[in-house]
Amino acid sequence: MANISIKMLVTPEEKAKGLQHMYPIPSHTLFVFPDVPAGTEFHSRNVREPFDIAFLSFRGEVLDMVTMEPPKATIVAPPKSHLVIEAKEGELSRLGFQPGVVKNVTKLFPDAVGLTEGT
């Protein structure tokens, strides 16, 4: 993951804003939403280009991953969701994210809240 910038979105304001009004979405940057419960809705309103979104479990398994097409795409965090990552379209695939793959989230995102223990 060399040369990847990690942006942790932890405050309610940061989480609510996400990628909105960001243009272009920076390459080689992962926007990480820690502690996202299942059922949380994500949307593409006010985002000017397609972007990838991945939902990971507590243990780092990629539960689902899709490309969101603005302006009307929405998706709900699936059961067992814990961490959400958004990035420029194609970035997550390039980094080896795909459904079923388990990523070492404590290594990737050591500052993510609540990722130091679990199943």
Side-chain angles (χ1 to χ4, degrees):
M1 296 271 280
N3 300 320
I4 296 293
S5 177
I6 308 292
K7 304 288 185 191
M8 300 299 296
L9 305 175
V10 295
T11 69
E13 296 80 15
E14 290 169 333
K15 287 181 176 182
K17 183 178 178 185
L19 300 180
Q20 293 185 81
H21 308 290
M22 187 179 298
Y23 187 79
I25 297 170
S27 298
H28 309 292
T29 303
L30 302 181
F31 296 86
V32 180
F33 299 74
D35 300 318
V36 175
T40 301
E41 183 178 274
F42 287 79
H43 63 82
S44 64
R45 290 184 306 273
N46 301 313
V47 181
R48 295 184 51 193
E49 62 183 294
F51 63 96
D52 292 338
I53 184 168
F55 299 91
L56 282 70
S57 71
F58 193 88
R59 68 182 192 96
E61 179 182 359
V62 179
L63 303 169
D64 194 11
M65 189 172 100
V66 299
T67 298
M68 300 283 280
E69 297 286 342
K72 297 186 180 192
T74 60
I75 191 168
V76 174
K80 299 184 181 179
S81 291
H82 181 68
L83 183 79
V84 177
I85 303 169
E86 293 180 343
K88 188 174 194 71
E89 182 181 23
E91 194 74 28
L92 294 178
S93 294
R94 185 182 74 75
L95 294 170
F97 284 80
Q98 61 181 341
V101 168
V102 176
K103 293 294 198 174
N104 183 340
V105 293
T106 55
K107 182 178 178 184
L108 295 175
F109 316 115
D111 296 328
V113 176
L115 293 179
T116 57
E117 53 186 68
T119 60

